[in-house]
Amino acid sequence: DSSVSKLQSLNGVFAVYKKQGPTSADVLNALKEALLKEAGVRNPNPRKRKKQSLKMGHGGTLDSAASGVLVVGVGNGTKMLSRMLTGSKKYVAVGELGKATDTLDATGSVVLESSFEHISSRDMEEKLKTFTGDIMQVPPLYSALKKDGQRLSVLLKKGQQVEAKPARQVSVYRLSLQDFNPPLFTLDIECGGGFYVRSLVDDLGKALSSCAHVKQLIRTKQGPFTLQDHVLHEDQWTLEHVLRVLQPCPEGGLEGGPEPGSEEGPDGRSEDRQPDPSEETGPVVGT
């Protein structure tokens, strides 16, 4: 069928809007299903490899509780995703002071409550300076990082003891306080690959002699794609719209380099880190 072969001949990257709730993998499957259905494939099962297959992957998972820009590669575009992971990303995060959770976001259970009345917006702005630049950060326990080939988040859910991964260097290019209305505060963040917003908010709460967790997280930019100008919303998941926004693969082959890892935890748990080859399962690519 010509519509299906048109889909299968697509090579490049584009961005879709991920809403709060589904995992990044769920979003990818829904996108694939919408495109195959439009092409006239009856009962497309995006997880099955068939002649009607469509090679797609995403670069830089968003937690299920997060929303915003999700970059998608199609065809040979899946090989370009690793470059997307290394580029800068922008987030708007709403944090809540006075409560810490086991997952460091609102999906988890509250494990600590402490007072926050002593914290002023000036205190927070001063403290944010110490989290700007190249900083050391310990990834969250609930993450897609692995121990002995198993995801930490999966091990935790099985009730196993899990040790924190060692701190790693991450880059924070810009960090500013947009709104301070205790217990809530809003941060604007621009960071490099491997950075966890959940860890930042948790560390910030501790640094202010209190505690905090992420209440809401929106990725507003990933690589060249912005939330305002480039994402396809669910009602635009059609071949026509994809063709309009697709950034084609560069001519003359693709640069090598590692492909993005499968960045999913209990519910797609990773804001978006650059995978370590030692702990990843290969690209998030399916057909």
Side-chain angles (χ1 to χ4, degrees):
D1 183 88
S2 65
S3 302
V4 177
S5 54
K6 254 184 213 158
L7 275 180
Q8 289 170 332
S9 67
L10 293 175
N11 291 292
V13 287
F14 61 101
V16 297
Y17 175 72
K18 181 202 166 302
K19 64 186 178 187
Q20 212 178 335
T23 67
S24 293
D26 293 338
V27 172
L28 192 70
N29 282 321
L31 169 67
K32 214 185 280 190
E33 199 165 326
L35 292 170
L36 287 168
K37 228 171 203 160
E38 188 206 12
V41 177
R42 288 172 206 272
N43 309 321
N45 181 342
R47 295 176 192 275
K48 291 255 169 79
R49 295 169 188 273
K50 291 181 190 161
K51 285 194 182 114
Q52 68 205 26
S53 69
L54 190 51
K55 189 182 179 192
M56 265 190 180
H58 62 76
T61 301
L62 278 171
D63 283 351
S64 59
S67 64
V69 181
L70 185 68
V71 176
V72 173
V74 60
N76 289 334
T78 54
K79 297 189 178 82
M80 295 164 67
L81 291 171
S82 54
R83 267 178 283 164
M84 292 288 155
L85 280 172
T86 54
S88 92
K89 297 152 188 97
K90 287 184 181 175
Y91 293 93
V92 174
V94 177
E96 183 177 341
L97 289 164
K99 285 180 184 170
T101 69
D102 52 2
T103 59
L104 313 189
D105 67 11
T107 65
S109 313
V110 175
V111 291
L112 179 69
E113 296 197 36
S114 53
S115 65
F116 53 86
E117 289 75 15
H118 61 282
I119 302 167
S120 69
S121 60
R122 183 174 285 183
D123 292 336
M124 189 170 278
E125 280 173 337
E126 279 303 307
K127 213 42 105 175
L128 285 174
K129 290 176 187 168
T130 65
F131 290 97
T132 307
D134 289 338
I135 62 166
M136 295 303 285
Q137 185 186 66
V138 177
L141 273 185
Y142 277 84
S143 72
L145 302 188
K146 300 201 168 174
K147 181 194 171 199
D148 306 328
Q150 287 230 52
R151 289 191 185 161
L152 297 186
S153 49
V154 174
L155 293 171
L156 280 167
K157 289 208 156 178
K158 290 179 181 167
Q160 294 190 24
Q161 287 288 308
V162 170
E163 275 176 49
K165 287 277 179 182
R168 52 183 69 194
Q169 187 173 296
V170 290
S171 297
V172 182
Y173 307 119
R174 283 187 198 86
L175 182 55
S176 61
L177 183 63
Q178 289 303 303
D179 189 50
F180 187 73
N181 189 8
L184 303 182
F185 61 95
T186 305
L187 302 176
D188 243 353
I189 303 156
E190 186 174 359
C191 57
F195 180 85
Y196 280 97
V197 176
R198 287 182 291 136
S199 290
L200 166 75
V201 169
D202 184 59
D203 291 341
L204 180 62
K206 288 175 188 161
L208 291 163
S209 306
S210 182
C211 60
H213 70 274
V214 172
K215 197 174 171 70
Q216 189 188 22
L217 183 66
I218 302 165
R219 179 155 63 198
T220 56
K221 179 178 181 283
Q222 184 180 2
F225 302 102
T226 66
L227 187 56
Q228 208 175 326
D229 302 324
H230 303 108
V231 298
L232 293 183
H233 288 259
E234 223 164 326
D235 59 347
Q236 301 170 309
W237 292 357
T238 66
L239 178 62
E240 184 193 348
H241 279 100
V242 171
L243 284 167
R244 209 178 289 166
V245 298
L246 189 72
Q247 297 210 0
C249 297
E251 291 298 312
L254 290 148
E255 293 168 27
E259 291 204 9
S262 168
E263 267 299 296
E264 292 247 327
D267 26 84
R269 216 158 252 304
S270 146
E271 268 116 41
D272 97 67
R273 25 174 302 290
Q274 184 65 15
D276 278 9
S278 62
E279 58 197 16
E280 290 304 326
T281 55
V284 197
V285 176
T287 51

